[in-house]
Structure formats: structure tokens, C-alpha cells
Amino acid sequence: MIKAGIIGGAGYTAGELLRILLRHPEVEIAFVNSQSNFGKYVYEVHEDLIGETTLKFGEPNFSAADVIFLCQGHGHSKTFLQGNNISRKTKIIDLSQDFRLKEEGNDFVYGLPEINRDKITQATHIANPGCFATAIQLAILPLFSSKLQIADIHINGITGSTGAGQAPSATTHFSWRNDNVSVYKPFVHQHLKEINESVHQLQEGYQGQLNFIPMRGNFSRGILVTAYTQCDSSLEELKAIYKDFYSGHPFVSLSDKSPNLKMVVNTNKCVLSLEKVDSNLLITSVIDNLVKGASGQAVQNMNLLFGLDETTGLKLKPIGY
């Protein structure tokens, strides 16, 4: 059995991670740590887990863990690792943005299995991708794997309120968020940096621009992304490129119909569709921001790290209608 530890266990991503790991056939949870909830039962914070576990939030026991998931806020993972003596043999999966970008001294592998699966299987430290970054990359990266000349890409994405984390703020308050839609961080969203690194990993000389307009939605979970660009290739040629790119990647599906969030919420799936109108190519991508966009992808990476089938423990069913 894989012994797993969780740091920052009280947030949305940690709650989703616990739901998955408690049902994972190859995992035993060694510890769950939350400084703000120390001593409480896990189900007192993640109330849907009542009857599922008697775990309490306690001190981390690093020597008891084969893998540690870091579910703290952005900026805390680096500080945590610097301040704690963790064996180099212990695998780390970080769900923050602290290690996603290539920098000197950073040995974290970027954990998007659809482009880095082989690297992930050989790694010790994994930087889990961002939620918007996952939905967008899965939408556009097949274009860069081909020999096509790609023009500027224009991207719109809308995310549920859980993408902003558990701490309340002016833009997550129910009375503000409900019956409301808003734009934030246009053209400068932090996930653009990791997306651009992956784009240049596949097509080093790309000179185009990724123009991204993120939006806050009035729903709790899920991401819907649309990306469009000029492309002379036929729809049949493009579908063939996408099917070839995702051949052998179990969580990405190509649909003939434009997808919606209820197809993917509560699953580790990404569903894509392609449409052509004259020379315009439209790509639509939907994921659950807490699963494929965070905790499910983290477990997918854990499976790869330990030589398991990457779908183990992740055959989750959508909530449906």
C-alpha cells in the first residue's frame, strides 16, 4: 500500500483529494495536517466525509509517508519544504503554483500527463498544473504537436467559485457571486506562464500570442474554455491530429457535440470538441476544476509515480442531471 500524507488538509482541493484517496484501492492515508483545525475530525471540516473516515487533523509524520501532497495556498509550498527535513526518497506532489515554472534549482516535473507522462514516471517531485492551465492546454496543445503554423489564439474561460479557494472574499461571497458573471485578470492570468512553457516545449519557435480572458461563473465547480484561431486545415485533418495526440491518454475524449460541464463534474475527464466555420477553428474544453484541474490529476500523477495504471481510483462517475 502507498502511504499518503496531506499538508493543508482543510481546503477544497484537500477535501477532494481525501474523497478520492479514501476509495483508492492502493492507498492508506498516513496523516492529514491542518494547523487551523488541529485535533478535529476530518469530517468536521469536510462534512460530506462523515461516516467515511475517523481520521483527525494531526502532526505530519514524514517518515510514515511514501508521498506527500501539498495543498496549501500559493507561496507556502516553498517555505514548507525549506523548513522541514523530508527524505529525498519521499515523493512530493505540489498543488500550488510554486514549482510549475522552469527555474534554476527546480527539480519538479510539470505534471500534465498528456505531454509529460514518461518524465512523471521517473520523477520524485511533481508540480501539479493549474486548473485553467489544464483545460486550456488540453484544448490547444495538439495543434503545437503538429507541423501546422499556428496564429494567435484567443481564449475565453469561465470557472466555478471553488477555483478561488475556501477563504471567503468579496468576489466569492454568495450574494455577490450568485446571479453574476465577471471578468478578472484579462491577458495577465498567472496560468499563462505555465501554458506558454508547454507550448514552447512542443513548438519551440512559436511566435504567436495567447490572449486569455478569464471569467468568474455563478456555479461552484467546473471550467469551460473556448479557444479560437485561424486555421486552413480541414476539420477532418484536425480531428485526426487530436485523436492521434490523445491516443492512449484515458481521461481526454473528443466529442462531436459541444460539451457542457455536467459531462465532467465529479470526474477526472476532459471533453473536447472542434468546430470549423470558414477559416475559424473553435475548440471547446470542459473539466472539473477540483478533479482534473487539481486533486484528480494529482492522484493520476501519484499513480504514474508508483507504477500503477493511471486510472486507478479515478473511475469516477459524473453527477449528471
Side-chain angles (χ1 to χ4, degrees), residues 96-109:
S96 80
Q97 65 186 21
D98 289 17
F99 299 103
R100 291 175 187 161
L101 302 181
K102 295 183 178 70
E103 297 174 346
E104 187 176 350
N106 179 9
D107 68 346
F108 279 69
V109 170

Side-chain angles (χ1 to χ4, degrees), residues 185-203:
K185 298 181 182 178
F187 306 111
V188 295
H189 193 279
Q190 64 273 15
H191 289 184
L192 278 169
K193 293 180 180 179
E194 61 189 276
I195 297 168
N196 273 298
E197 285 198 349
S198 294
V199 163
H200 288 93
Q201 176 181 328
L202 295 180
Q203 195 175 110

Side-chain angles (χ1 to χ4, degrees), residues 85-161:
N85 185 22
I86 300 173
S87 169
R88 294 292 298 175
K89 294 180 181 180
T90 303
K91 299 183 188 300
I92 304 289
I93 301 176
D94 179 32
L95 281 80
S96 80
Q97 65 186 21
D98 289 17
F99 299 103
R100 291 175 187 161
L101 302 181
K102 295 183 178 70
E103 297 174 346
E104 187 176 350
N106 179 9
D107 68 346
F108 279 69
V109 170
Y110 187 65
L112 188 69
E114 288 76 16
I115 60 168
N116 284 336
R117 182 160 58 190
D118 290 344
K119 293 179 181 178
I120 292 165
T121 62
Q122 302 299 314
T124 302
H125 297 158
I126 299 295
N128 219 55
C131 51
F132 261 136
T134 296
I136 292 169
Q137 288 176 100
L138 295 178
I140 68 174
L141 289 183
L143 297 175
F144 296 97
S145 72
S146 67
K147 295 182 180 179
L148 299 176
Q149 296 297 310
I150 310 301
D152 291 353
I153 301 180
H154 305 277
I155 305 162
N156 291 278
I158 186 165
T159 185
S161 58

Side-chain angles (χ1 to χ4, degrees), residues 68-272:
I68 297 173
F69 294 89
L70 302 182
C71 299
Q72 299 167 299
H74 302 308
H76 294 285
S77 293
K78 283 186 177 180
T79 303
F80 176 82
L81 291 177
Q82 289 167 357
N84 290 278
N85 185 22
I86 300 173
S87 169
R88 294 292 298 175
K89 294 180 181 180
T90 303
K91 299 183 188 300
I92 304 289
I93 301 176
D94 179 32
L95 281 80
S96 80
Q97 65 186 21
D98 289 17
F99 299 103
R100 291 175 187 161
L101 302 181
K102 295 183 178 70
E103 297 174 346
E104 187 176 350
N106 179 9
D107 68 346
F108 279 69
V109 170
Y110 187 65
L112 188 69
E114 288 76 16
I115 60 168
N116 284 336
R117 182 160 58 190
D118 290 344
K119 293 179 181 178
I120 292 165
T121 62
Q122 302 299 314
T124 302
H125 297 158
I126 299 295
N128 219 55
C131 51
F132 261 136
T134 296
I136 292 169
Q137 288 176 100
L138 295 178
I140 68 174
L141 289 183
L143 297 175
F144 296 97
S145 72
S146 67
K147 295 182 180 179
L148 299 176
Q149 296 297 310
I150 310 301
D152 291 353
I153 301 180
H154 305 277
I155 305 162
N156 291 278
I158 186 165
T159 185
S161 58
T162 52
Q166 194 178 48
S169 70
T171 57
T172 59
H173 193 284
F174 176 82
S175 59
W176 188 91
R177 190 101 179 199
N178 190 51
D179 296 327
N180 201 8
V181 177
S182 61
V183 170
Y184 72 109
K185 298 181 182 178
F187 306 111
V188 295
H189 193 279
Q190 64 273 15
H191 289 184
L192 278 169
K193 293 180 180 179
E194 61 189 276
I195 297 168
N196 273 298
E197 285 198 349
S198 294
V199 163
H200 288 93
Q201 176 181 328
L202 295 180
Q203 195 175 110
E204 189 174 354
Y206 179 61
Q207 298 295 318
Q209 189 78 23
L210 303 181
N211 300 298
F212 176 36
I213 308 296
M215 301 178 68
R216 305 179 184 94
N218 64 344
F219 49 92
S220 61
R221 58 195 292 169
I223 286 176
L224 186 147
V225 161
T226 58
Y228 67 92
T229 188
Q230 296 290 305
C231 183
D232 294 330
S233 299
S234 70
L235 184 59
E236 291 71 24
E237 290 171 326
L238 291 163
K239 284 185 176 181
I241 289 171
Y242 274 70
K243 287 178 181 177
D244 180 66
F245 188 87
Y246 289 119
S247 175
H249 291 287
F251 291 112
V252 183
S253 300
L254 195 62
S255 172
D256 290 329
K257 297 180 179 179
S258 183
N260 61 78
L261 289 181
K262 287 192 175 183
M263 296 167 70
V264 297
V265 167
N266 196 50
T267 78
N268 200 52
K269 297 193 297 185
C270 173
V271 178
L272 305 171

